[in-house]
Amino acid sequence: MFSLEEFHQDFMQRVAVETQSRGMSKHEAFIESIRDELVKDGELSESCELAEYNKKDMEVCGYAFDEERGELSLLVSCFFQSDTLQTLTKAQIDSKFKKLKTFFKETANKLYESMEEGFTHHSMAYNIYTYLSKNMVEKVRLILITDGKATKNLLVIPNETKSSIEIEHCIRDMEYLYRMYKLDDSSNGFEVEVNLPVLVVKTPTEEYNAYLSVVDGTTLAKIYGDYGSRLLEQNIRTFLQFKGNVNKGIRNTIEYEPEMFFAYNNGITATASGVVVENGKIKKISNFQIVNGGQTIASIYATSKNKKNDVSKVYVQMKLSVVANESKQDAFVAKVSECANTQNKVNKSDFFSNSPFHRDFKEYSKNILAPARDGVQIKTYWFYERVRGEYLTEQMYLTSKEKNQFLKKRPKSQLVDKSLLAKSEVAWLQAPYVVSNGAQDSFKKFAKHITETLEKDEFSITGNYFKEAIARIIMFRQTEKIVSQANWYASGYRTPCVAYTLAYLSHYLEQRSSFLNFMKIWEEQKVSAPLQKILAHIAPNVYTHITNPPVGNTNALQWCRTKLCWEHIEKIDFNLEIDEGILTSAEEQKYINKEAKKDKKRTTDMEKWIFVTGFKYWPQVLAYYQREDLAGQLSTQQMDILSKMATGVLNPPSEKQAKILYELYENAMREGLVIKQQVDVPTF
């Protein structure tokens, strides 16, 4: 396991890579990195925006508002920029929180009026003033983020109450992020203390343990208030703020017939990695996840807060399943979630986290070598981080030499997570307003697109798609760099500007039936000078339009999140001059895609055939190649794959492994191997 110091070094190296590859300052890369981690962990809502403001006795670097819970989060940073882990002092903590409190206080006094419009800090101050003036804020969380470490006695700061608003102080340091990393990503590693009656259900399988319970509304509201979206992280639906008929029905029952709630409501389905039962009561639930009934628990919480209703008479039945094998936790929760969510219409894209797309994309990232670049002859891989912390985890037990080799082949600059992939793809799909709305909305849009694509053609996610998707990521990052380093860029709205720039180019080419040559970007592993010139021409024009909303729109941030903004920009003529060298013909594009799908189908057929042959045939193939007269005929890799298949370790084999196994089987049959219970060898 990595030590805290090693984790800190890795984190700072990531910040350095982000700084270089995206053209932003270290401080910007730092606060964005921590912001993303806190959003993933449910600490911050998806609406979290970075907006730096540092003047006199005020300081802030971002904010988020959870409208459902009336919770405003304000961020301030203490960035040491040191290679060694620094200790946060009491004076630094006090100073940062004091400046943050002053900023919050001044927003209520119309601080935004003294700020220049068109900047993210103006939008931030204006929005906070709006929340306060409408009495929407019930709690303020002041969050100090740092690349240092605070001693334990400084982490506990008493809450305050100002004008009936509760103010909480939070410090999110490297030790906090380190703990997040060490916990199982799928479970988020938290424990909920409860006192619930329980009926232990004897199941006919050892796969899981089952419990039935009844939870009162007060307990549910408290749990949701404490853990929020972390409870629903693996749930397929989000709370719709009483916009749907189901939620209105839940609300009305809570308000007018709370004692009937148990009879009317279907209850909640939950999973956990463990429970503690004492004297017929559940006392503790580890890694509690609501996989069905998220609307129920969120509605109870919202009604108790927004309407000030007494929910103590509300009772909800709960079915709780605890998987016995922790290694199967992800698959178990996914299956329970899919089967439990049948009472309302659920789109297949809602289950995208469990889509074979991720398996295939991960497999391509492991097997497709990126072309060498910048005169370096070492070929590398792009690393697709399907699960948070996966990149670091794979280095955990490597020696120093092995780790250096790992980083040479899989450099941090070629690390891609699901959020970045979704943003770059959705931008090119001409939905920049979705990208502007945050990672979660981008991921939902991307999920819908991929799901519909796979439904039309199961062989559409090919090795060629992987290369083109990586090319779009390279272009996305290069555009970020262009924007960050431009003299017209003041700060703020970087992501919307990048998204609108790429969407505009995509739309422009589509209108002219032209195709960008993504394979050229892949082969060169960079954006060519002519393409950079085009992007640099579009970006400032886009920036001007998204930061100057038409009369009647609240502010630039809200404006660029609307489809209307995109419909306005896509019609503007920016007088582009397209270099033919960055394009490819429709015929060539069609041919490449066709061949890629044929190869994908061929490999998939191989995988299916290997599965049909079953485990019992492969030991015979292994025994054949272990003969003395054939010693040395197979490479170490071939023998390893064959041995694993023969012993049932590969279940199922990857595309690359399937190809190797098929070739070995076909070769053995050609050389005279006779398989008992003969299996026909198809031709692919």
Side-chain angles (χ1 to χ4, degrees):
M1 175 63 71
F2 277 97
S3 67
L4 172 60
E5 288 70 22
E6 289 172 319
F7 176 81
H8 169 259
Q9 289 175 3
D10 181 83
F11 183 87
M12 295 308 295
Q13 287 171 7
R14 286 201 188 199
V15 169
V17 169
E18 291 288 287
T19 301
Q20 184 176 8
S21 64
R22 301 170 64 192
M24 57 175 58
S25 69
K26 277 191 175 182
H27 185 240
E28 286 178 306
F30 161 72
I31 59 177
E32 189 168 304
S33 295
I34 290 196
R35 185 274 307 271
D36 291 346
E37 290 302 312
L38 295 181
V39 168
K40 289 175 185 176
D41 198 50
E43 275 277 306
L44 293 173
S45 67
E46 283 291 334
S47 64
C48 184
E49 289 292 332
L50 299 183
E52 293 188 64
Y53 185 70
N54 193 339
K55 186 176 182 182
K56 294 181 181 178
D57 55 349
M58 291 182 282
E59 187 177 348
V60 64
C61 64
Y63 76 111
F65 185 61
D66 187 335
E67 189 171 333
E68 176 190 331
R69 295 196 284 173
E71 189 174 271
L72 174 66
S73 297
L74 295 176
L75 304 180
V76 68
S77 69
C78 185
F79 187 37
F80 292 103
Q81 300 190 53
S82 175
D83 293 333
T84 57
L85 191 60
Q86 301 296 305
T87 300
L88 204 62
T89 66
K90 186 177 186 303
Q92 290 168 324
I93 293 172
D94 290 343
S95 174
K96 292 293 182 179
F97 278 134
K98 183 179 180 181
K99 290 182 177 181
L100 196 53
K101 287 177 184 176
T102 302
F103 169 79
F104 173 62
K105 179 182 176 182
E106 291 303 315
T107 56
N109 297 324
K110 297 187 177 182
L111 176 64
Y112 72 91
E113 291 185 344
S114 64
M115 297 175 170
E116 186 179 350
E117 293 187 26
F119 291 87
T120 49
H121 56 259
H122 176 273
S123 293
M124 172 175 59
Y126 175 83
N127 287 338
I128 294 174
Y129 170 76
T130 302
Y131 303 145
L132 290 170
S133 63
K134 293 182 178 180
N135 296 317
M136 298 170 67
V137 181
E138 296 186 15
K139 181 178 180 180
V140 176
R141 299 178 73 236
L142 307 177
I143 304 175
L144 171 56
I145 58 176
T146 178
D147 59 335
K149 174 188 174 183
T151 55
K152 288 184 179 179
N153 64 307
L154 297 179
L155 290 174
V156 181
I157 302 174
N159 288 3
E160 301 173 4
T161 301
K162 301 285 186 182
S163 303
S164 75
I165 296 176
E166 182 184 3
I167 298 178
E168 179 184 0
H169 304 78
C170 308
I171 299 176
R172 298 298 177 246
D173 60 359
M174 281 293 109
E175 194 160 35
Y176 178 87
L177 295 181
Y178 180 56
R179 287 198 304 271
M180 284 169 53
Y181 160 70
K182 289 195 297 182
L183 297 171
D184 179 3
D185 293 315
S186 65
S187 62
N188 267 344
F190 63 96
E191 294 183 334
V192 178
E193 293 187 359
V194 293
N195 187 36
L196 303 174
V198 63
L199 172 64
V200 180
V201 181
K202 185 174 177 58
T203 61
T205 176
E206 296 182 354
E207 289 289 316
Y208 70 97
N209 298 315
Y211 306 85
L212 293 176
S213 183
V214 176
V215 193
D216 63 274
T218 303
T219 299
L220 280 176
K222 183 180 186 307
I223 291 173
Y224 189 75
D226 289 342
Y227 298 98
S229 61
R230 296 179 75 185
L231 293 170
L232 313 176
E233 186 162 10
Q234 298 193 45
N235 191 5
I236 61 164
R237 285 198 289 268
T238 57
F239 181 52
L240 302 177
Q241 295 181 339
F242 302 139
K243 293 177 183 176
N245 291 329
V246 174
N247 286 315
K248 288 179 181 177
I250 292 174
R251 178 193 62 187
N252 291 336
T253 303
I254 295 171
E255 287 188 40
Y256 305 115
E257 297 181 281
E259 67 282 352
M260 299 301 296
F261 197 90
F262 185 87
Y264 294 166
N265 189 265
N266 288 332
I268 60 179
T269 302
T271 65
S273 62
V275 297
V276 174
V277 178
E278 296 177 0
N279 301 320
K281 296 284 186 74
I282 297 178
K283 295 293 185 179
K284 188 178 293 185
I285 306 176
S286 300
N287 308 317
F288 192 33
Q289 293 286 290
I290 308 295
V291 295
N292 181 263
Q295 293 180 355
T296 295
I297 186 173
S299 297
I300 290 172
Y301 175 85
T303 304
S304 70
K305 288 294 182 181
N306 299 339
K307 299 289 184 178
K308 308 297 183 184
N309 284 353
D310 177 11
V311 294
S312 62
K313 293 182 181 179
V314 172
Y315 285 91
V316 181
Q317 58 187 317
M318 177 176 72
K319 179 176 70 174
L320 178 64
S321 301
V322 180
V323 63
N325 187 340
E326 287 189 17
S327 65
K328 296 181 179 180
Q329 180 78 9
D330 279 351
F332 180 81
V333 174
K335 193 63 180 177
V336 172
S337 179
E338 181 176 352
C339 294
N341 285 283
T342 56
Q343 66 185 69
N344 291 333
K345 184 179 183 297
V346 179
N347 296 319
K348 290 183 179 180
S349 59
D350 292 328
F351 297 103
F352 185 60
S353 291
N354 311 307
S355 169
F357 166 84
H358 298 293
R359 181 202 66 197
D360 290 350
F361 204 84
K362 179 69 176 178
E363 203 60 43
Y364 289 133
S365 75
K366 290 165 64 176
N367 296 321
I368 296 179
L369 281 165
R373 59 179 180 178
D374 299 329
V376 179
Q377 296 307 307
I378 298 177
K379 289 191 174 183
T380 58
Y381 295 93
W382 282 80
F383 191 99
Y384 180 53
E385 193 172 57
R386 181 180 175 182
V387 178
R388 186 180 66 190
E390 190 177 17
Y391 183 76
L392 190 56
T393 300
E394 289 206 12
Q395 305 170 50
M396 190 178 296
Y397 301 110
L398 301 181
T399 64
S400 180
K401 183 178 179 181
E402 289 171 337
K403 183 178 178 181
N404 287 335
Q405 286 297 111
F406 178 92
L407 292 174
K408 281 182 180 178
K409 288 190 174 182
R410 300 166 183 83
K412 282 189 175 68
S413 58
Q414 292 175 198
L415 172 63
V416 177
D417 64 13
K418 292 186 289 188
S419 295
L420 176 58
L421 175 63
K423 286 193 293 186
S424 62
E425 290 296 272
V426 173
W428 195 254
L429 288 170
Q430 299 171 33
Y433 50 93
V434 176
V435 179
S436 302
N437 213 32
Q440 188 62 31
D441 277 18
S442 298
F443 192 69
K444 288 178 183 177
K445 173 73 174 179
F446 179 55
K448 187 173 185 294
H449 167 71
I450 290 295
T451 302
E452 290 174 349
T453 300
L454 286 172
E455 285 178 345
K456 292 176 183 176
D457 183 359
E458 62 177 312
F459 303 113
S460 55
I461 306 303
T462 64
N464 186 66
Y465 170 82
F466 170 80
K467 293 176 182 179
E468 292 193 347
I470 294 299
R472 286 187 282 272
I473 286 171
I474 292 172
M475 186 166 63
F476 190 95
R477 285 177 167 171
Q478 182 59 46
T479 308
E480 282 187 315
K481 197 169 186 177
I482 290 170
V483 172
S484 299
Q485 296 178 342
N487 55 17
W488 47 263
Y489 178 69
S491 78
Y493 307 108
R494 179 193 291 105
T495 297
C497 183
V498 171
Y500 274 88
T501 297
L502 296 177
Y504 184 88
L505 178 59
S506 174
H507 176 74
Y508 183 89
L509 294 177
E510 182 181 76
Q511 293 297 105
R512 289 154 181 77
S513 300
S514 298
F515 297 88
L516 191 63
N517 191 343
F518 288 112
M519 291 308 295
K520 178 179 173 65
I521 298 175
W522 166 259
E523 291 298 333
E524 297 178 353
Q525 290 290 288
K526 64 180 182 181
V527 177
S528 66
L531 180 52
Q532 284 194 52
K533 185 178 179 181
I534 293 169
L535 296 170
H537 177 76
I538 299 172
N541 286 287
V542 158
Y543 189 76
T544 299
H545 284 85
I546 65 174
T547 55
N548 290 281
V551 177
N553 289 271
T554 53
N555 56 59
L557 182 61
Q558 297 304 320
W559 167 238
C560 63
R561 288 176 170 176
T562 65
K563 191 174 182 179
L564 186 62
C565 179
W566 168 237
E567 291 172 349
H568 169 72
I569 289 177
E570 68 178 343
K571 297 173 183 175
I572 302 173
D573 185 3
F574 291 154
N575 299 313
L576 297 188
E577 293 182 7
I578 302 296
D579 187 312
E580 293 296 323
I582 70 170
L583 304 177
T584 185
S585 67
E587 292 75 18
E588 185 175 357
Q589 188 70 29
K590 186 177 181 180
Y591 175 78
I592 291 173
N593 290 338
K594 182 180 178 181
E595 289 301 304
K597 288 180 182 180
K598 282 172 61 177
D599 185 61
K600 171 85 171 182
K601 184 179 186 305
R602 192 161 47 239
T603 303
T604 301
D605 288 344
M606 285 181 190
E607 289 177 313
K608 290 179 180 177
W609 172 78
I610 288 171
F611 178 78
V612 170
T613 61
F615 162 75
K616 56 187 176 183
Y617 302 115
W618 292 100
Q620 298 177 59
V621 181
L622 175 63
Y624 172 79
Y625 283 107
Q626 287 177 330
R627 288 168 27 187
E628 277 189 39
D629 59 317
L630 294 179
Q633 180 171 323
L634 301 192
S635 67
T636 303
Q637 182 191 41
Q638 288 173 319
M639 183 57 76
D640 180 60
I641 291 172
L642 180 55
S643 298
K644 287 179 178 177
M645 188 65 194
T647 54
V649 175
L650 294 182
N651 186 29
S654 67
E655 284 189 18
K656 185 177 180 181
Q657 292 166 337
K659 287 180 181 179
I660 291 173
L661 288 167
Y662 173 75
E663 289 168 0
L664 292 177
Y665 189 100
E666 187 183 46
N667 182 63
M669 295 294 292
R670 202 166 40 239
E671 293 179 356
L673 171 65
V674 177
I675 298 283
K676 295 178 182 179
Q677 290 183 295
Q678 187 69 43
V679 178
D680 292 333
V681 184
T683 302
F684 298 112

